[in-house]
Amino acid sequence: MDRELNYILPPICTIQRIKQYLDIASPIFGMEHKKIEHVTVDTHLVERMDIVGVLLIYKFVEYTSKKACFKSPEMIGNKNFLYEMQRLGFWELLNSFFLNLPGNYASLKYQLFENVFIAPIRLNEMSLVEVPNNYIPDIQDYYHDTETCSVVFSVLAEIVSNFKEHSNDETDTVLVATGDTNKFEVVCADTGIGMVSSLAPVLNNNPSLRIRNYDVLEMATMQGITSKKGTDHMGFGLWLISEFVKIAKGEIHIYSEGAYYVNQCGKIKKGTCGFWQGTIIYVSLPLNKTNEIRNWQNSLAEQYQDIKINCV
């Protein structure tokens, strides 16, 4: 009998424990078309999950299903895991992969839950304009004030633009946004062309200069850095978000191809981690300084009048 392969998820599946999850998930990126039997995804230890944990577990199941990594895998769940998957609208979609049914993406829709809005979005089926517009009326109704809405939409637009232009993911790029009156969070993950692979060839064009992968991720947050040299793409997206994070004392996390970069309230951490094919970006933005962010954004727009900046 073949040896069983068990993926046991840790008790805490959140952005703060993401490196532990990546260590568990990384082997799947060498299992394409192997159709490994006797595989179990075990979630019985899970006690707490956030939008990052939910999205990455979904991407694990989706990737291994669409890439035929496993044959008839099984899942062991518990009430905490099931509750969070249902709350964010991912349970029916996740379960369809285990049942070998077509994915039911209709469950990914805007909803309010205990005064918190939840907005999961499948990016592949929408244009760059359609994605932010899809939830603009709902989020406007939730926040009411123009300053907060503008900052939230700007972050969404820049993250969507980044993934749309660089990913080329054969599976699904999925974004989850959530927020209340105090904080806005968004995470996006794909398993396509990672940020390291996209940017490193441009940054390493000097043969005598070798840039480490985690330095590539840090440089991606700097003004003017883009993989599309010689075009009108100005490389402002992640830099804009990083400036928002700096003003508001928030967080931005980037994970790609075994490297990570984190700016947490101005404290920079970077290094190596478990391999994730593609890119994961997470942003947490406190909403108590939206006026300052908008003033900075308006000043930037005046400075670069001939450059398109995503201000909604």
Side-chain angles (χ1 to χ4, degrees), residues 55-219:
L55 180 58
L56 294 189
I57 291 169
Y58 159 72
K59 289 298 294 180
F60 176 102
V61 173
E62 180 218 33
Y63 182 87
T64 55
S65 176
K66 291 187 176 181
K67 296 294 185 179
C69 299
F70 309 142
K71 182 179 179 181
S72 302
E74 296 182 356
M75 173 170 280
I76 299 174
N78 72 9
K79 63 180 181 180
N80 299 320
F81 173 79
L82 180 61
Y83 173 80
E84 289 300 327
M85 283 291 175
Q86 290 177 329
R87 185 174 73 90
L88 294 180
F90 278 88
W91 174 247
E92 290 182 18
L93 182 57
L94 189 78
N95 198 37
S96 67
F97 289 112
F98 285 97
L99 298 175
N100 292 317
L101 298 173
N104 179 16
Y105 292 94
S107 61
L108 299 183
K109 57 187 178 182
Y110 179 94
Q111 58 179 311
L112 281 176
F113 186 87
E114 295 181 352
N115 296 320
V116 175
F117 80 80
I118 301 167
I121 308 172
R122 183 189 184 197
L123 300 188
N124 302 58
E125 298 299 311
M126 298 183 188
S127 70
L128 189 57
V129 174
E130 287 174 328
V131 173
N133 287 345
N134 195 48
Y135 289 135
I136 280 179
D138 292 315
I139 295 176
Q140 282 178 329
D141 287 343
Y142 182 86
Y143 282 118
H144 301 298
D145 71 286
T146 304
E147 301 295 334
T148 300
C149 287
S150 181
V151 169
V152 166
F153 295 146
S154 292
V155 172
L156 280 174
E158 295 299 348
I159 289 181
V160 169
S161 175
N162 187 279
F163 276 88
K164 280 284 190 181
E165 291 173 355
H166 299 289
S167 171
N168 193 28
D169 192 359
E170 293 180 358
T171 57
D172 279 302
T173 302
V174 177
L175 175 150
V176 182
T178 185
D180 57 22
T181 55
N182 298 313
K183 182 173 67 173
F184 170 70
E185 294 177 274
V186 59
V187 59
C188 193
D190 72 358
T191 49
I193 298 173
M195 189 176 293
V196 171
S197 292
S198 180
L199 277 176
V202 177
L203 300 176
N204 283 318
N205 56 8
N206 184 342
S208 64
L209 180 64
R210 185 179 182 276
I211 302 175
R212 294 166 296 191
N213 286 353
Y214 50 81
D215 292 324
V216 171
L217 300 184
E218 181 175 26
M219 294 177 72

Side-chain angles (χ1 to χ4, degrees), residues 19 37 41 99 114 138 193 222 230 247 256 285 287 297:
K19 287 191 285 184
E37 298 187 72
V41 180
L99 298 175
E114 295 181 352
D138 292 315
I193 298 173
M222 297 178 181
I247 294 170
S256 180
L285 198 68
L287 298 175
Q297 197 176 19

Side-chain angles (χ1 to χ4, degrees), residues 9-10 19 24 40 51 116 127 140 149 170 186 191 198 200 204 228 243 259 265 281-282 289 291 308:
L9 299 185
K19 287 191 285 184
I24 295 170
T40 301
I51 59 173
V116 175
S127 70
Q140 282 178 329
C149 287
E170 293 180 358
V186 59
T191 49
S198 180
N204 283 318
K228 300 182 180 297
E243 291 299 309
C265 301
I281 297 178
Y282 167 82
K289 294 190 176 181
N291 287 339
K308 178 183 178 294

